[in-house]
Amino acid sequence: NAGVMQNPRHLVRRRGQEARLRCSPMKGHSHVYWYRQLPEEGLKFMVYLQKENIIDESGMPKERFSAEFPKEGPSILRIQQVVRGDSAAYFCASSPGVADTQYFGPGTRLTVL
Amino acid sequence: KQEVTQIPAALSVPEGENLVLNCSFTDSAIYNLQWFRQDPGKGLTSLLLIQSSQREQTSGRLNASLDKSSGRSTLYIAASQPGDSATYLCAVGANSKLTFGKGITLSVRP
């Protein structure tokens, strides 16, 4: 059973471009979470999704950020018009149920030039 | 708002020492607490999960305890090894999300 997969592992964008981060949960897991780790800061919750539904997006910035988890395919975290402050490691986690262990992917390290 | 604190931020010990990492949280309305390990530039590895109804969990040389009423958890590492050097993160689960502490960076000297 493969673990949580994220791609790309590293992503470089120029200011104003779009960034798309992908996450494939572990097999059998229908709950997906996105977290962001800014330099010198702890991990912060961004959004929690189940298949085709956003359950909690209280940690998402109000503008430029969106997330989806379609019926088929990976979960996508999309950042439009990136700025330097978006440079961070973005981690995806999945779990079989809401109160179960969350398993994390290796992360995508976004650098905005 | 839940806040999770891990003190100290860094710890250096000689190989073989038993050690305790502390974690405190402000809101006791949690459904679980999870300890993770993070190596530099890497993702998170789940070490132990304690449900809110449990007092402790053990895995190999690791033992984690939870005192929900006082808002505290400890991670005990027995007979530390240089390979244990990493950042250890505590995270409390509530309302479908994890709230993380900033971690304790452990260095085990050979």
Side-chain angles (χ1 to χ4, degrees):
Chain A
N1 187 7
V4 177
M5 298 174 69
Q6 289 187 251
N7 67 81
R9 296 289 304 276
H10 299 274
L11 182 62
V12 179
R13 286 286 179 265
R14 296 191 181 279
R15 282 180 296 169
Q17 292 184 319
E18 178 180 287
R20 281 188 179 231
L21 288 62
R22 295 175 183 77
C23 169
S24 297
M26 288 179 70
K27 187 176 180 181
H29 290 192
S30 59
H31 300 252
V32 167
Y33 315 80
W34 285 92
Y35 295 84
R36 178 165 67 172
Q37 188 172 38
L38 291 165
E40 307 304 322
E41 292 191 23
L43 279 101
K44 304 289 186 187
F45 167 81
M46 299 182 75
V47 62
Y48 160 44
L49 311 100
Q50 291 186 43
K51 278 291 185 182
E52 299 185 274
N53 292 303
I54 296 174
I55 307 302
D56 181 349
E57 56 182 349
S58 58
M60 288 276 272
K62 293 286 187 279
E63 298 177 347
R64 302 187 297 108
F65 285 71
S66 63
E68 62 177 11
F69 189 14
K71 187 176 180 180
E72 302 291 337
S75 175
I76 306 287
L77 179 67
R78 182 182 177 203
I79 311 172
Q80 295 178 290
Q81 298 177 319
V82 297
V83 301
R84 289 208 173 120
D86 297 332
S87 295
Y90 292 82
F91 291 95
C92 168
S94 73
S95 68
V98 69
D100 293 326
T101 299
Q102 292 189 19
Y103 295 90
F104 280 72
T108 293
R109 280 154 183 82
L110 172 66
T111 301
V112 180
L113 301 177
Chain B
K1 178 187 170 186
Q2 179 74 267
E3 292 184 5
V4 179
T5 302
Q6 294 184 256
I7 296 173
L11 187 62
S12 179
V13 300
E15 182 177 4
E17 190 164 301
N18 301 324
L19 57 105
V20 174
L21 306 181
N22 294 305
C23 171
S24 62
F25 48 95
T26 55
D27 187 346
S28 61
I30 67 172
Y31 50 65
N32 61 32
L33 184 144
Q34 211 166 337
W35 281 92
F36 294 89
R37 168 186 173 139
Q38 185 175 29
D39 293 283
K42 304 290 186 182
L44 280 72
T45 301
S46 180
L47 297 174
L48 289 164
L49 171 78
I50 310 177
Q51 298 291 356
S52 61
S53 58
Q54 297 174 321
R55 297 283 293 184
E56 65 179 302
Q57 282 288 331
T58 298
S59 176
R61 294 184 293 109
L62 305 179
N63 175 277
S65 68
L66 174 64
D67 184 340
K68 206 173 72 163
S69 61
S70 68
R72 294 179 188 277
S73 176
T74 62
L75 178 67
Y76 174 82
I77 303 176
S80 59
Q81 304 170 358
D84 295 331
S85 298
T87 296
Y88 291 82
L89 298 163
C90 165
V92 296
N95 301 322
S96 71
K97 70 185 89 170
L98 293 177
T99 301
F100 283 83
K102 290 189 176 181
I104 298 173
T105 299
L106 173 66
S107 173
V108 181
R109 308 186 300 271

